[in-house]
């Protein structure tokens, strides 16, 4: 009785629905039952279906052990409505399934849900300023000048560059990025980051890119308090004061006396009911309808907790600021209530954690069609949010840094070399003017030789260099710039003049070998015996 793990991707809710239906039909035990003095073959009671399906869902890694029996009954109601099951009289189409001894059976074929076909839409290609784009209403002759000074030492350090074949460089003056340009950069890079984390080839079938508002992303990143909670510009979209006071009361329990609230038996239950009623009557879930598939797709990464948190961080940046603020305050309250051991029971039939999930899961995530496994998927998501809300509702630092670096890069002035691996960034543009091809060839041939000749003279006249070091540098220079070296030393004789040969000292006579050098040679006595 195993569920295969359905990873992130489009139509994940539909895939889970179809797989659950197939497992239920294939493995649900069927037997003979009697009802009103009549026997029915290959059927099951409602209670038996709830028992078996509840165990299947709790053991599945796609749903988890948080699934309740009540949620299982809700799923079986949808099975009956969609003709996955029918009663023994063949009736179906209504959600009147109850956890009792009523008999049900499988129809000859249970229809699987087809994958929805979304209309294909063209991708909006975002056009950013390119290197080759000239600045608007600016000619290259009028660009401000800042000369670049380079001494002979810097030239020498770059001796590996063949100066005789210097590649043509071109100054690229970045035009001013508009607010729309910056917003499009934030939108495109955020969606690209989400696509990379989910491991998808495209986001088209997960969310409608046209509905993603870049202003929401930027607001959620920068307009936050010290606690990381979004600050709204439009105060009319704030939580009502009475709801916020009720949430603070339960989140800070038992210090609600500081808020001057009346205390009586069951007071905390009434406060909780007030909060639940407000969130239960929202027109749209906090995670919005159009992001339902995106969040459900992220649920496929729960086996890789770090990646799932990162994907949830990015998805939550796409929310409207008012929704993100309400979600932050709600999750903080839910987590504090669950961790508060002094909190009285808010419901007699459920534990505090189960109550939080069942009460608020539907106002956080649900589908617009309401025929998917939205209750189970929402419970799974809310459980994960409660355990990791502090990390999930943070701004992903890696994404923010990469986008800010990209915007800063596009605002700089660049020097571009064809085929270069990187660009050299200057704080201010240098002067460039158009010249004729003849002048360019002349400058390429002779203009670069002057600093090289000065460099060569500096090496020659450097008194601090020993003859050995000077010969080594000259040999290196000759190998790198033979034309300049040949012009300075046209003949070997001219090169030899730089290092004149020192006169060799005459060998001294071995005066000590002669006892009396001015006397005629006398034969000494032999030592031979």
């Amino acid at each position: 009785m195993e569920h295969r793990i359905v990873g992130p991707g489009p139509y994940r809710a539909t895939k889970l629905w179809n797989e659950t239906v197939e497992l239920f039909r294939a493995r649900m035990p069927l037997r003979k039952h009697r009802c009103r003095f009549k026997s029915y073959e290959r059927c099951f009671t409602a209670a038996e279906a709830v028992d078996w399906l509840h165990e299947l869902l709790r053991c599945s890694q796609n749903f988890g052990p948080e699934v309740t029996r009540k949620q299982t009954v809700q799923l079986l109601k949808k099975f009956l409505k969609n003709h996955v099951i029918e009663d023994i009289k063949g009736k179906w189409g209504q959600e009147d399934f109850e956890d009792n001894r009523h008999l049900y059976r499988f129809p000859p074929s249970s229809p699987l849900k087809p994958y929805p076909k979304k209309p294909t839409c063209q991708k909006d290609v975002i056009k950013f300023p390119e290197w080759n784009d000239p600045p608007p209403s600016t000619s290259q002759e009028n660009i401000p000048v800042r000369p670049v000074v380079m001494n002979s030492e810097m030239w020498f350090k770059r001796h590996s560059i063949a100066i005789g074949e210097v590649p043509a460089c071109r100054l690229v003056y970045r035009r001013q990025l508009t607010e729309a340009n910056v917003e499009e950069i934030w939108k495109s890079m955020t969606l690209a980051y989400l696509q990379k984390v989910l491991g998808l080839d495209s986001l088209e079938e997960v969310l409608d890119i046209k509905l993603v508002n870049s202003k929401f992303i930027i607001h959620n990143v920068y307009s936050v308090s010290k606690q990381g909670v979004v600050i709204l510009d439009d105060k009319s979209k704030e939580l009502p004061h009475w709801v916020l006071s009720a949430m603070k009361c339960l989140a800070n329990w038992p210090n609600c006396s500081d808020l001057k609230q009346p205390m009586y038996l069951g007071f905390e239950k009434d406060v909780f009911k007030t909060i639940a009623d407000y969130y239960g009557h929202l027109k749209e879930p906090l995670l919005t309808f159009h992001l339902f598939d995106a969040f459900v797709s992220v649920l496929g990464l729960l086996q890789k907790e770090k990646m799932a948190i990162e994907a949830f961080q990015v998805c939550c940046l796409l929310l409207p600021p008012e929704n993100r603020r309400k979600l932050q305050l709600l999750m903080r309250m839910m987590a504090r209530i669950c961790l508060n051991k002094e909190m009285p029971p808010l419901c007699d039939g459920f534990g505090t954690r189960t109550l939080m999930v069942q009460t608020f899961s539907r106002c956080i995530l649900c589908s617009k069609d309401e025929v998917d496994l939205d209750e189970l998927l929402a419970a799974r998501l809310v459980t994960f949010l409660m355990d990791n809300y502090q990390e999930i509702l943070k701004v992903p630092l890696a994404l923010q840094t990469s986008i800010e670096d990209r915007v800063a890069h596009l605002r700089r002035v660049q020097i571009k070399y064809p085929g270069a691996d990187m660009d050299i960034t200057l704080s201010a543009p240098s002067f460039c003017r158009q010249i004729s091809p003849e002048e360019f060839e002349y400058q390429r041939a002779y203009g670069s030789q002057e600093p090289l000749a000065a460099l060569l003279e500096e090496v020659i006249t450097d008194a601090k260099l020993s003859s050995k070091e000077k010969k080594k540098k000259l040999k290196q220079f000759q190998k790198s710039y033979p034309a300049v070296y040949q012009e300075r030393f046209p003949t070997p004789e001219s090169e030899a003049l730089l290092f004149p040969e020192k006169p060799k000292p005459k060998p001294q006579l071995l005066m000590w070998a002669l006892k009396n050098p001015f006397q005629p040679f006398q034969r000494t006595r032999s030592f031979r015996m």
Side-chain angles (χ1 to χ4, degrees):
M1 206 164 56
E2 295 181 355
H3 243 124
R4 69 179 181 89
I5 299 177
V6 179
Y11 317 122
R12 184 174 184 270
T14 304
K15 293 177 182 177
L16 289 173
W17 171 278
N18 289 341
E19 183 173 342
T20 304
V21 169
E22 290 176 346
L23 286 174
F24 185 49
R25 280 184 61 90
R27 301 182 181 181
M28 174 65 200
L30 305 176
R31 62 187 181 89
K32 181 179 179 180
H33 287 82
R34 291 183 60 87
C35 179
R36 296 181 181 179
F37 307 104
K38 188 175 181 180
S39 298
Y40 297 92
E41 300 287 342
R42 298 182 58 79
C43 59
F44 51 86
T45 66
E48 291 172 346
V50 174
D51 291 338
W52 191 91
L53 187 57
H54 184 213
E55 185 64 20
L56 173 70
L57 297 174
R58 292 183 72 254
C59 294
S60 171
Q61 295 185 8
N62 294 313
F63 301 104
E66 300 288 341
V67 178
T68 63
R69 190 175 182 89
K70 181 180 179 181
Q71 292 172 335
T72 307
V73 172
Q74 294 296 324
L75 178 59
L76 285 167
K77 287 183 177 181
K78 292 188 176 183
F79 280 179
L80 181 61
K81 182 179 180 180
N82 289 274
H83 205 196
V84 176
I85 58 176
E86 61 184 17
D87 68 2
I88 54 174
K89 297 181 179 179
K91 295 181 180 179
W92 61 278
Q94 301 293 328
E95 292 189 6
D96 53 358
F97 184 93
E98 295 181 5
D99 190 358
N100 52 26
R101 301 293 300 174
H102 195 75
L103 294 180
Y104 292 90
R105 66 188 180 191
F106 291 117
S109 62
S110 296
L112 299 179
K113 292 188 62 177
Y115 297 117
K117 295 182 180 180
K118 294 186 178 181
T120 58
C121 56
Q122 290 185 344
K123 296 182 180 179
D124 295 332
V125 180
I126 302 173
K127 184 69 169 61
F128 296 116
E130 300 293 340
W131 290 114
N132 298 327
D133 294 343
S137 65
T138 303
S139 63
Q140 291 192 354
E141 296 182 356
N142 297 324
I143 299 179
V145 59
R146 196 190 77 163
V148 179
V149 180
M150 186 172 292
N151 56 27
S152 58
E153 182 179 357
M154 295 177 66
W155 277 99
F156 187 79
K157 289 181 179 179
R158 302 183 183 185
H159 70 275
S160 58
I161 302 177
I163 299 298
E165 299 178 358
V166 176
C169 66
R170 188 160 65 90
L171 183 78
V172 182
Y173 184 67
R174 306 312 301 163
R175 64 168 173 253
Q176 183 69 28
L177 291 179
T178 64
E179 183 178 354
N181 292 143
V182 176
E183 291 176 358
E184 289 301 325
I185 293 172
W186 272 92
K187 177 178 177 178
S188 63
M189 293 189 67
T190 301
L191 294 178
Y193 193 85
L194 177 61
Q195 180 177 330
K196 179 181 178 181
V197 175
L198 294 178
L200 302 177
D201 296 331
S202 173
L203 293 177
E204 288 184 351
E205 296 177 342
V206 174
L207 58 85
D208 189 348
I209 297 178
K210 292 183 178 180
L211 297 179
V212 176
N213 192 324
S214 56
K215 294 182 183 294
F216 292 169
I217 302 174
I218 298 175
H219 188 101
N220 290 333
V221 170
Y222 293 110
S223 299
V224 294
S225 64
K226 294 181 179 180
Q227 292 76 26
V229 181
V230 174
I231 300 175
L232 300 181
D233 296 331
D234 187 358
K235 300 303 180 182
S236 63
K237 297 181 179 179
E238 287 274 10
L239 281 170
H241 177 70
W242 50 274
V243 176
L244 190 59
S245 298
M247 295 176 68
K248 288 181 179 180
C249 177
L250 292 185
N252 300 320
W253 190 273
N255 297 323
C256 62
S257 57
D258 299 339
L259 301 177
K260 300 180 180 180
Q261 296 285 355
M263 294 294 294
Y264 54 86
L265 185 63
F267 169 74
E268 66 282 349
K269 294 181 181 180
D270 290 342
V271 175
F272 180 76
K273 185 176 183 301
T274 300
I275 301 171
D277 288 343
Y278 171 80
Y279 277 94
H281 287 84
L282 294 177
K283 297 180 179 179
E284 187 179 28
L286 296 179
L287 300 184
T288 70
F289 287 133
H290 84 272
L291 291 177
F292 174 81
D293 290 332
F295 280 100
V296 170
S297 183
V298 177
L299 288 176
L301 293 173
L302 292 190
Q303 305 303 318
K304 304 174 182 178
E305 182 175 328
K306 186 176 180 180
M307 293 181 63
I309 291 176
E310 194 173 10
F312 275 126
Q313 285 179 335
V314 182
C315 286
C316 289
L317 283 182
L318 308 181
L319 295 174
E322 58 271 18
N323 288 39
R324 182 178 172 90
R325 176 175 173 82
K326 291 177 182 178
L327 179 65
Q328 288 174 320
L329 297 176
L330 178 62
M331 296 310 304
R332 187 168 63 177
M333 182 202 73
M334 293 168 61
R336 288 185 178 182
I337 290 177
C338 292
L339 295 176
N340 191 353
K341 297 181 180 180
E342 298 183 6
M343 173 66 68
L346 298 175
C347 182
D348 298 333
F350 300 100
T352 303
R353 183 181 176 87
T354 303
L355 177 65
M356 293 294 119
V357 174
Q358 288 195 1
T359 302
F360 297 108
S361 60
R362 190 167 181 80
C363 72
I364 294 176
L365 178 73
C366 71
S367 64
K368 196 171 185 179
D369 299 333
E370 297 188 1
V371 293
D372 294 317
L373 303 171
D374 49 355
E375 289 91 351
L376 298 178
L377 296 174
R380 181 73 162 153
L381 182 141
V382 172
T383 301
F384 190 78
L385 276 178
M386 287 177 59
D387 295 335
N388 304 278
Y389 80 97
Q390 291 182 334
E391 289 295 323
I392 290 175
L393 294 177
K394 284 182 179 179
V395 176
L397 184 59
L399 174 62
Q400 181 181 355
T401 303
S402 63
I403 297 177
E404 290 175 347
D405 290 345
R406 173 63 177 168
V407 173
H409 173 77
L410 290 175
R411 284 173 172 165
R412 294 192 187 108
V413 177
Q414 308 288 337
I415 291 181
K416 188 69 174 180
Y417 290 92
D421 294 332
M422 61 178 63
D423 301 323
I424 302 174
T425 303
L426 300 177
S427 58
S430 298
F431 176 73
C432 294
R433 66 180 180 86
Q434 188 173 3
I435 60 176
S436 63
E438 294 78 10
E439 188 178 357
F440 170 75
E441 293 296 335
Y442 176 82
Q443 290 184 3
R444 186 175 70 169
Y446 300 102
S448 59
Q449 293 185 0
E450 294 179 4
L452 287 175
L455 172 63
L456 181 57
E457 290 297 331
E458 184 178 339
V459 174
I460 293 172
T461 58
D462 193 349
K464 296 180 181 180
L465 293 176
S466 63
S467 298
K468 185 177 180 180
E469 293 176 348
K470 189 175 294 187
K471 286 181 179 180
K472 182 178 179 181
K473 289 184 178 293
L474 289 175
K475 186 176 181 181
Q476 187 179 18
F477 191 96
Q478 182 184 14
K479 184 178 179 181
S480 300
Y481 316 113
V484 180
Y485 192 87
Q486 181 69 23
E487 185 178 354
R488 177 62 177 81
F489 300 107
T491 61
E493 290 77 11
S494 60
E495 183 179 3
L497 292 175
L498 184 60
F499 301 100
E501 294 186 1
K502 296 181 180 180
K504 295 182 179 179
K506 294 182 180 180
Q508 297 180 357
L509 295 176
L510 300 178
M511 304 299 291
W512 56 271
L514 299 176
K515 186 176 181 181
N516 190 355
F518 300 102
Q519 295 294 330
F521 178 74
Q522 296 181 359
R523 185 173 181 177
T524 59
R525 184 180 178 181
S526 175
F527 289 97
R528 184 178 296 175
M529 299 300 294

